[in-house]
Amino acid sequence: MDTDVIDIALNSVTAPLDLDRVFTAWTLDLPAVLAVLVLGAGYLAGVRHQDGWPRGRVLAFMAGLATLLLVTCSSLAVYDTTLFWPRAVQTTVLLMITPLLFALGAPVTLLVRSVPQPVRARLRRLGRGRAARFLTFPAVVTVVLVAPPFLLYFTPLYELTLRVSVVDGLVRLGLVLAGFVYFWTRIQLDPTPRTDPHLVSVWIALTEVIFDGALGLVLWLGPLVAPEHYEAIMRVWGPDVRTDQIIGAGVLWIGGDLAGLPFVAALFVRWSRDDERRAKQVDAKLDDAEKAGELPVGGLWWEHDPELADRFKRS
């Protein structure tokens, strides 16, 4: 009986990955499922105690949990030690898509509002501390985003994730946390230790695009990653080891850039809303000042804006 079970397990992994198995091959990653259940239950419990919490934020956070289940329990997980490219898809999703959706759910704000006052005060002190400000400094955030894939694919860590499930799980957790730090500080739906201009986020996004290209190019033209592992499987189906890695390089390169497009869109929406809010605040201040007789009536609006008056004042 034990031999039969082993044979069935081996066949389920080494069976050719065709279109049918893309949708029907599933596995149970118990730690990931438990994490999704705990995070989902905690988030919904917090939402129930908040009046008027935006539905879009709930949908975004739940979509993030769904992507986490997808990469850990679907055919991507079934074949992530047999083929190179499924693991590349996992890396892209866990670093660029899942954290973005989490950040759009504003979980930090929800957490701060849901905990007791003493805990809330402690969290706010931590959020204003030196460590938090250092971690969210733009240069540090850039390294946090672009470094993990390079550390994963160009060190022995990658081969270790193929052999040790605990290491694999910790790497996945690290990818999600690194991505969340980036998107949390850039989108700024939640309170952050520092507030940087939106243009800084654009430059970091462009830097990420450059490093995505460098990573994909090296994996495409460079040496094979963990060749002993993939050659020992002795697959008689699918792409050869080199072609498999080229496909994975394309996923990390092009897929990473495409995955960043929703963030760029969200960033510009946020930028536009902040500009509209600031314009309304300036208009209200100018109206109040004019009614109080503190500003001359008439003239161009920028002649009365405190930030622009000196720059555009009449000679």
Side-chain angles (χ1 to χ4, degrees):
M1 179 62 69
D2 293 340
T3 303
D4 293 338
V5 171
I6 293 174
D7 289 341
I8 292 173
L10 289 175
N11 290 334
S12 66
V13 174
T14 59
L17 178 59
D18 53 23
L19 185 61
D20 179 64
R21 287 189 61 78
V22 166
F23 299 100
T24 61
W26 289 83
T27 186
L28 177 63
D29 188 324
L30 189 57
V33 172
L34 290 177
V36 168
L37 291 176
V38 171
L39 290 174
Y43 189 89
L44 292 177
V47 170
R48 280 197 295 268
H49 295 85
Q50 303 298 323
D51 295 331
W53 187 259
R55 184 174 301 177
R57 294 184 181 182
V58 179
L59 293 177
F61 193 86
M62 293 303 149
L65 294 178
T67 62
L68 188 57
L69 282 179
L70 180 67
V71 299
T72 57
C73 296
S74 70
S75 58
L76 292 171
V78 174
Y79 287 89
D80 65 358
T81 57
T82 306
L83 293 165
F84 182 88
W85 69 262
R87 191 168 286 266
V89 175
Q90 291 175 333
T91 300
T92 301
V93 172
L94 292 176
L95 184 64
M96 297 297 296
I97 298 179
T98 303
L100 171 60
L101 293 170
F102 283 166
L104 290 175
V108 176
T109 298
L110 187 62
L111 175 64
V112 171
R113 292 183 182 180
S114 302
V115 296
Q117 182 60 38
V119 179
R120 185 182 309 173
R122 186 177 303 174
L123 290 175
R124 287 175 174 169
R125 285 196 300 269
L126 290 175
R128 300 188 188 104
R130 292 183 178 180
R133 290 184 61 81
F134 172 79
L135 182 62
T136 56
F137 186 73
V140 177
V141 170
T142 303
V143 173
V144 168
L145 178 68
V146 303
F150 286 88
L151 293 176
L152 175 60
Y153 288 102
F154 300 133
T155 69
L157 181 60
Y158 182 81
E159 190 169 2
L160 196 60
T161 62
L162 296 171
R163 295 185 289 104
V164 184
S165 59
V166 174
V167 175
D168 189 25
L170 291 175
V171 168
R172 291 175 179 178
L173 176 62
L175 290 172
V176 174
L177 291 177
F180 181 77
V181 169
Y182 171 66
F183 291 114
W184 163 51
T185 57
R186 297 304 97 199
I187 295 177
Q188 298 178 4
L189 280 179
D190 284 319
T192 56
R194 57 188 308 122
T195 301
D196 300 306
H198 291 293
L199 190 59
V200 173
S201 300
V202 174
W203 282 110
I204 295 178
L206 292 176
T207 303
E208 188 268 332
V209 169
I210 295 173
F211 277 91
D212 277 347
L215 175 66
L217 195 61
V218 173
L219 289 175
W220 178 22
L221 302 176
L224 293 174
V225 177
E228 296 84 2
H229 171 85
Y230 291 110
E231 291 171 356
I233 296 176
M234 295 184 294
R235 282 185 294 106
V236 294
W237 52 269
D240 59 65
V241 176
R242 168 57 69 180
T243 304
D244 182 27
Q245 183 164 311
I246 291 175
I247 296 172
V251 169
L252 291 166
W253 184 349
I254 302 174
D257 292 342
L258 292 177
L261 291 178
F263 162 67
V264 174
L267 179 63
F268 277 99
V269 169
R270 180 74 174 175
W271 195 346
S272 175
R273 290 178 178 174
D274 287 347
D275 286 344
E276 291 178 1
R277 187 182 304 111
R278 181 185 175 281
K280 291 179 180 178
Q281 292 173 350
V282 171
D283 289 342
K285 290 180 180 179
L286 292 175
D287 291 341
D288 293 341
E290 186 172 345
K291 291 178 181 178
E294 298 175 1
L295 285 178
V297 179
L300 301 173
W301 69 268
W302 55 75
E303 295 176 345
H304 309 310
D305 188 314
E307 296 183 11
L308 301 178
D310 291 338
R311 188 183 307 177
F312 297 106
K313 64 183 179 181
R314 298 171 187 250
S315 59

